Amino acid sequence: MSDYSENDVQREVSELEKQSTTAARLFDIRRIIGGLFVIYGVIVTIAGITASDADLAKAGDININLWTGLGMLALGLFFLAWLWLRPLPAPAPESPAEEHAPPKD
Protein backbone atom coordinates (compact mmCIF):
# COMPACT_ATOMS: atom_id res chain seq x y z
CA MET A 1 0.00 0.00 0.00
CA SER A 2 1.16 3.50 -0.64
CA ASP A 3 1.34 6.25 1.96
CA TYR A 4 -0.53 8.71 -0.28
CA SER A 5 -4.28 9.15 -0.32
CA GLU A 6 -6.25 10.09 -3.40
CA ASN A 7 -6.63 13.65 -2.11
CA ASP A 8 -2.85 14.00 -1.66
CA VAL A 9 -2.25 12.90 -5.23
CA GLN A 10 -4.91 15.25 -6.60
CA ARG A 11 -3.49 18.17 -4.61
CA GLU A 12 0.02 17.47 -5.86
CA VAL A 13 -1.17 17.23 -9.47
CA SER A 14 -3.01 20.56 -9.21
CA GLU A 15 0.11 22.22 -7.74
CA LEU A 16 2.24 20.87 -10.60
CA GLU A 17 -0.28 22.18 -13.14
CA LYS A 18 -0.07 25.66 -11.59
CA GLN A 19 3.74 25.56 -11.73
CA SER A 20 3.61 24.43 -15.35
CA THR A 21 1.35 27.35 -16.26
CA THR A 22 3.70 29.78 -14.53
CA ALA A 23 6.68 28.33 -16.41
CA ALA A 24 4.82 28.56 -19.73
CA ARG A 25 4.10 32.23 -19.13
CA LEU A 26 7.66 32.92 -18.04
CA PHE A 27 9.20 31.30 -21.12
CA ASP A 28 6.73 32.63 -23.67
CA ILE A 29 8.64 32.90 -26.97
CA ARG A 30 7.36 36.44 -27.54
CA ARG A 31 9.12 37.58 -24.36
CA ILE A 32 12.40 35.97 -25.38
CA ILE A 33 12.33 37.27 -28.96
CA GLY A 34 11.17 40.73 -27.92
CA GLY A 35 13.77 41.04 -25.20
CA LEU A 36 16.63 39.94 -27.44
CA PHE A 37 15.61 42.29 -30.24
CA VAL A 38 15.36 45.21 -27.82
CA ILE A 39 18.79 44.49 -26.33
CA TYR A 40 20.48 44.04 -29.71
CA GLY A 41 18.55 47.00 -31.12
CA VAL A 42 19.92 49.26 -28.40
CA ILE A 43 23.47 48.04 -29.05
CA VAL A 44 23.24 48.46 -32.83
CA THR A 45 21.53 51.86 -32.49
CA ILE A 46 24.34 53.09 -30.24
CA ALA A 47 26.84 51.82 -32.82
CA GLY A 48 24.92 53.79 -35.47
CA ILE A 49 24.85 56.96 -33.43
CA THR A 50 28.60 56.81 -32.82
CA ALA A 51 29.50 55.90 -36.42
CA SER A 52 32.42 57.78 -37.94
CA ASP A 53 32.52 59.43 -41.34
CA ALA A 54 34.73 56.60 -42.62
CA ASP A 55 32.11 54.03 -41.58
CA LEU A 56 29.38 56.02 -43.33
CA ALA A 57 31.49 56.31 -46.49
CA LYS A 58 31.87 52.51 -46.58
CA ALA A 59 28.07 52.13 -46.57
CA GLY A 60 27.41 54.72 -49.28
CA ASP A 61 26.57 57.49 -46.78
CA ILE A 62 23.72 55.47 -45.29
CA ASN A 63 23.88 54.94 -41.56
CA ILE A 64 22.98 51.26 -41.79
CA ASN A 65 23.61 50.55 -38.10
CA LEU A 66 21.26 53.30 -37.02
CA TRP A 67 18.42 52.18 -39.30
CA THR A 68 18.91 48.49 -38.50
CA GLY A 69 19.04 49.23 -34.77
CA LEU A 70 15.87 51.29 -34.91
CA GLY A 71 14.14 48.52 -36.87
CA MET A 72 15.25 45.94 -34.31
CA LEU A 73 14.01 48.14 -31.48
CA ALA A 74 10.64 48.55 -33.19
CA LEU A 75 10.30 44.79 -33.75
CA GLY A 76 11.31 43.99 -30.17
CA LEU A 77 8.85 46.51 -28.77
CA PHE A 78 6.15 45.05 -31.03
CA PHE A 79 6.71 41.57 -29.58
CA LEU A 80 6.68 42.89 -26.00
CA ALA A 81 3.51 44.93 -26.66
CA TRP A 82 1.90 41.84 -28.19
CA LEU A 83 2.78 39.88 -25.06
CA TRP A 84 1.35 42.61 -22.85
CA LEU A 85 -1.85 43.05 -24.88
CA ARG A 86 -2.49 39.33 -25.50
CA PRO A 87 -1.08 37.32 -22.58
CA LEU A 88 -1.43 33.56 -22.42
CA PRO A 89 -4.87 32.66 -21.10
CA ALA A 90 -5.07 31.30 -17.60
CA PRO A 91 -6.04 27.64 -17.43
CA ALA A 92 -9.72 27.03 -16.88
CA PRO A 93 -10.35 25.84 -13.33
CA GLU A 94 -11.86 22.42 -13.04
CA SER A 95 -15.34 22.23 -11.64
CA PRO A 96 -15.62 20.96 -8.06
CA ALA A 97 -17.55 17.94 -9.28
CA GLU A 98 -14.63 16.85 -11.46
CA GLU A 99 -12.12 17.31 -8.64
CA HIS A 100 -13.91 15.00 -6.24
CA ALA A 101 -15.20 12.46 -8.74
CA PRO A 102 -14.20 8.87 -8.05
CA PRO A 103 -11.51 7.46 -10.36
CA LYS A 104 -12.80 5.67 -13.43
CA ASP A 105 -11.58 2.14 -14.09
Side-chain angles (χ1 to χ4, degrees):
M1 284 253 149
S2 69
D3 294 334
Y4 294 107
S5 68
E6 185 68 29
N7 289 338
D8 291 339
V9 172
Q10 288 178 354
R11 187 173 358 99
E12 190 170 333
V13 167
S14 66
E15 288 175 9
L16 289 173
E17 286 175 346
K18 289 177 186 175
Q19 290 174 356
S20 175
T21 302
T22 302
R25 286 184 178 171
L26 180 65
F27 294 109
D28 188 355
I29 193 72
R30 296 174 294 181
R31 177 174 303 187
I32 295 168
I33 291 173
L36 285 174
F37 267 97
V38 167
I39 290 169
Y40 290 139
V42 167
I43 292 169
V44 175
T45 302
I46 290 171
I49 291 171
T50 61
S52 66
D53 290 334
D55 291 335
L56 292 176
K58 287 182 194 177
D61 290 329
I62 298 173
N63 197 341
I64 231 161
N65 284 338
L66 180 64
W67 289 109
T68 303
L70 291 174
M72 292 173 78
L73 272 172
L75 183 64
L77 292 174
F78 167 76
F79 271 96
L80 293 176
W82 180 20
L83 176 69
W84 183 67
L85 293 172
R86 293 284 200 154
L88 286 177
E94 295 182 12
S95 67
E98 290 176 358
E99 290 180 4
H100 300 294
K104 297 178 183 175
D105 292 326

